[in-house]
Amino acid sequence: MASPTGTSDAPFGRALTAMVTPFASDGAVDYEGAQRLAAYLVDEQRNDGLVVNGTTGESPTTSDEEKVRILRAVVEAVGDRATVVAGAGTNDTRHSVELAEAAERAGAHGLLVVTPYYNKPPQEGLLRHFTAVADATGLPVMLYDIPGRAGVPITIETLFRLAEHPRIAAVKDAKGDLFAGSQVMASTDLVFYSGDDLLNLPWLSVGAAGYVSVVGHVVGAELASMADAYRSGDVENALAVHRQLLPVVSAIMTRTQGAIMVKAALKLVGQDAGCVRPPLVDATEEQITALREDLITGGLKLVD
């Protein structure tokens, strides 16, 4: 299925949010809620792409069947006007291939494949893992380089080799090494996306196509305005928006786990996505009080 927003220089779109998975009070997936949230993120928060079944979507605690149903629900809701990227990465190559194949059947436009976590494979293992997943479908692949969680980075040399694969198109970088990313972009056709909301503007400044955001749940429109300003040459305005959003980014991304805080933030702006699943726990009253203050400082209008 062709991406409705992808281009050669931004194959997954430019403004993507890693979408949470709404849960009902009993912990079941709220599929209608997922559709409502997806429409809100695309139509009101100016996202031209969504990542579903990623870490922010609590993928470690959703079943394969739930992942397929979530993906189908989101594709049905917004797949005609936004790129829908399916998280398909695990630390088991065979399982990742199965998830990739299921995502293609469910209508995904692309795949996000994270570095295998915990088992810390060598670089040759990473090369074989990513190649196996990319070989399994006809979908474009975004690699997810996040050594802080995976325990191992994707080295420049491995990225050079992976760039030779016709369907490995992009990197979501949460490594924070702008110089290394610049080297890869200068020497290959790999497209980079910021995978760290703290560095969205810096990544744009060295050539990234866009970002995969968490705070885009509540300030997606502002992030899009920042990126538009930067690309049009209005660096001063882009910097002003970047600075305006600092309290929001700090509140959601630095206090505790991101899915916990962004679900609390969504509730404060009137887009309740329910609870989190164990082993995550919902935000405390103290955290919510601080979050409310920071969102207001960042310019958000909250519901009573």
Side-chain angles (χ1 to χ4, degrees), residues 98-120:
E98 291 170 352
L99 289 175
E101 292 171 339
E104 184 175 43
R105 291 192 297 269
H109 302 118
L111 303 172
L112 178 70
V113 186
V114 70
T115 309
Y117 38 84
Y118 189 77
N119 43 18
K120 299 180 74 171

Side-chain angles (χ1 to χ4, degrees), residues 19 21-24 27-38 53 62-74 76-77 277:
M19 197 180 99
T21 298
F23 295 124
V29 175
D30 180 0
Y31 297 102
E32 292 183 359
Q35 292 188 314
R36 288 193 299 271
L37 178 60
N53 297 327
T62 55
S63 69
D64 290 2
E65 180 183 357
E66 287 173 326
K67 288 179 173 65
V68 169
R69 289 189 63 188
I70 294 164
L71 180 57
R72 285 178 175 160
V74 172
E76 180 181 315
R277 277 183 175 175

Side-chain angles (χ1 to χ4, degrees), residues 55 114-115 144-154 172-175 195:
T55 309
V114 70
T115 309
Y144 187 7
D145 190 5
I146 182 165
R149 288 193 175 186
V152 60
I154 311 173
K172 176 187 175 185
D173 188 285
K175 185 163 53 183

